Structure formats: structure tokens, C-alpha cells
Amino acid sequence: MVGTRMMGGQTSYLPLSVNMAGVMPIIFAVSLIGLPYQFSIMFHGNATPVGRVLVTIAEYMQPSSPNPWKAVLGSIIYTVLIFFFTYFWTAIQYNVEDISNNLKRGGSFIPGVRPGKQTKDFLDGVISRITIVGAGFISVVALVQWLGPRISGIPSGVRFSIIGGTTLLIMVSVALETMRQIEANLLMKQYGN
């Protein structure tokens, strides 16, 4: 929580989101997992030696592989990529030094933390801890569409990839953003009257 001094001695708190990267890590991870298969098509698939190697690599990287060991390896690779891209995206989007300097310039503070380097270190620690929880959450959500049918015994021909984890994540984030905008408009109308 970040405290901000307001008129009248009140302090308001700005909550931090658990998943600050959104769906971008999943999109990047899916793109990288699909690259070997795309390159194998360029090399004519199983018709050439390079194509066969790329098809084999693609089979080991897919969480949806019919072979259980390949699916486990693909799930691990997918999860590692999601964690990597979650940290990468968060590092690109949130510069804790700028946030610390902006808080200091604006006369804001974090209760119990001194402005400057201590605020930067505190924010860096909080963002790192939040990012690991967020990356774990979106990894679970992204893997549900492949692991759910395996665990529940649904035949491989019947998959619920239409409404997968990523789709649900996007729908929920759009709904939350819509609610935030409605609340902001209602609040503006309340203060306008």
C-alpha cells in the first residue's frame, strides 16, 4: 500500500494489483512455444532432417502433447516462460526508482519507510513478492485448459480450448476495468452535483 497525504490530514491508500503484467506473459510464452512448429513448416516438416528435429522439439514443448512425459516437460517449459515474461514485463512497465522519486516530489510517502533509497528498496521488494504470486496464478490459469481434461479424464478429442484460462483472464480483467470506469464516472458525478 502506498500512502498519500491529502488535505484534512487524511491518508488514502493506492492498492497494488496481484498480477501487474496481465495476459502479456501468456501471449509471449505461447508465441515462443509455437516457434519450433512454425519453423518446422518452413523446412517441410518430417520430409527433411531439419524439419524432423524441429517437429520433435515442438512436440516436447507443447503442454497439450498426448504423451504424458512430453506434456509434463511442455508444462514446465510453459510455466518457466510465463514466470520469465511476468518478471520481464513488470520490470519494463514499473520503474521503482521513478515511482520513488515521483512519490518524494509529490510529498507522498509510504508509512514507516523513509523517502529515497529506502522507498525504492521497499517498492522493489513488494513488487518482486507480488510478481511471484501473480506469475504463479497466471501459470495455473494458463495450464488449466491442458491439465483439466487430463486430470478429469475427458477424451483428447474433446477439449475446452475455446474457453481456456487466457480467455477467462481477459474476460475478468475487462469486467474489472469496466467496473472501475463506472465507479470513477459515478464518483465524478457525485462530486459534480
Side-chain angles (χ1 to χ4, degrees):
M1 299 283 196
V2 178
T4 305
R5 283 188 298 203
M6 298 179 70
M7 293 189 314
Q10 297 176 343
T11 303
S12 72
Y13 293 97
L14 305 170
L16 294 173
S17 173
V18 175
N19 179 14
M20 297 188 295
V23 215
M24 293 308 294
I26 297 174
I27 293 169
F28 290 147
V30 167
S31 299
L32 280 183
I33 283 178
L35 279 179
Y37 182 70
Q38 292 296 321
F39 286 134
S40 73
I41 292 172
M42 287 177 16
F43 288 100
H44 306 291
N46 287 326
T48 63
V50 175
R52 280 193 293 276
V53 169
L54 289 170
V55 166
T56 305
I57 291 171
E59 288 174 0
Y60 278 99
M61 290 181 70
Q62 293 298 322
S64 61
S65 176
N67 182 332
W69 294 110
K70 290 179 183 178
V72 168
L73 183 62
S75 298
I76 291 170
I77 291 170
Y78 190 44
T79 302
V80 167
L81 286 172
I82 289 174
F83 268 80
F84 171 76
F85 285 120
T86 302
Y87 273 95
F88 178 73
W89 189 259
T90 302
I92 288 174
Q93 295 297 316
Y94 299 97
N95 186 348
V96 287
E97 191 166 341
D98 285 347
I99 295 171
S100 173
N101 291 336
N102 289 340
L103 285 172
K104 190 175 180 180
R105 270 186 262 137
S108 301
F109 64 94
I110 299 172
V113 180
R114 298 184 74 173
K117 182 173 176 5
Q118 286 184 355
T119 299
K120 178 188 166 292
D121 293 341
F122 177 79
L123 287 174
D124 195 30
V126 169
I127 288 177
S128 293
R129 288 189 298 268
I130 287 174
T131 301
I132 198 162
V133 172
F137 172 74
I138 62 174
S139 295
V140 168
V141 169
L143 287 172
V144 161
Q145 69 184 9
W146 287 299
L147 299 180
R150 269 188 201 284
I151 293 169
S152 63
I154 295 174
S156 61
V158 181
R159 301 276 184 201
F160 44 97
S161 60
I162 294 172
I163 302 182
T166 309
T167 306
L168 291 174
L169 199 62
I170 291 170
M171 287 178 6
V172 168
S173 59
V174 167
L176 288 173
E177 183 61 31
T178 303
M179 287 177 53
R180 278 191 212 122
Q181 288 179 0
I182 291 170
E183 286 175 359
N185 285 336
L186 289 174
L187 193 62
M188 284 176 51
K189 286 188 180 217
Q190 180 183 7
Y191 282 122
N193 292 332

